């Protein structure tokens, strides 16, 4: 299921797939287990992975520009990380408690 979010004044649809995560891990050079922190490179890469399925052709540079606009507008990296985590949860990448 998709996660919709406005970032930098642009309505975006986030969706993770196994393929998008594989591409992200290939670019990262390994597992993203450490990606949920405030490291700019990791957040940019994680967001890009969420966007490439629905915004085909979006580049890492464009995602960095979106993050810049989001931060300038008073947003936080934490909001982006939370949205990415929700998109991963909806993709079924996290087991539900219970």
């Amino acid at each position: 299921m998709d996660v919709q979010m406005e970032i930098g004044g642009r309505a975006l649809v986030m969706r993770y797939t196994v393929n998008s995560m594989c591409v992200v891990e290939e670019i990262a050079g390994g597992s993203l287990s450490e990606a949920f922190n405030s490291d700019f490179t990791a957040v940019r890469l994680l967001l890009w992975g969420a966007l490439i399925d629905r915004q085909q052709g979006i580049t890492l540079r464009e995602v960095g520009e979106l993050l810049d606009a989001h931060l300038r507008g008073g947003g936080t990296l934490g909001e982006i990380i939370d949205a990415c985590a929700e998109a991963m949860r909806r993709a079924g990448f996290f087991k539900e408690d219970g």
Side-chain angles (χ1 to χ4, degrees), residues 7-41:
I7 302 172
R10 184 171 165 189
L12 299 167
V13 179
M14 302 169 70
R15 173 191 281 186
Y16 285 105
T17 64
V18 169
N19 286 328
S20 70
M21 289 305 296
C22 288
V23 170
V24 167
E25 287 182 342
E26 287 170 10
I27 290 174
S31 173
L32 288 179
S33 61
E34 297 297 319
F36 286 100
N37 60 38
S38 62
D39 179 65
F40 288 104
T41 300

Side-chain angles (χ1 to χ4, degrees), residues 46-80:
L46 199 59
L47 178 58
W48 177 75
L51 298 177
I52 58 175
D53 187 64
R54 294 300 190 159
Q55 286 79 209
Q56 294 184 355
I58 194 164
T59 67
L60 281 169
R61 181 174 180 84
E62 289 174 301
V63 172
E65 291 168 358
L66 288 171
L67 286 170
D68 283 338
H70 181 72
L71 295 171
R72 279 193 309 270
T76 67
L77 290 180
E79 292 167 337
I80 301 296

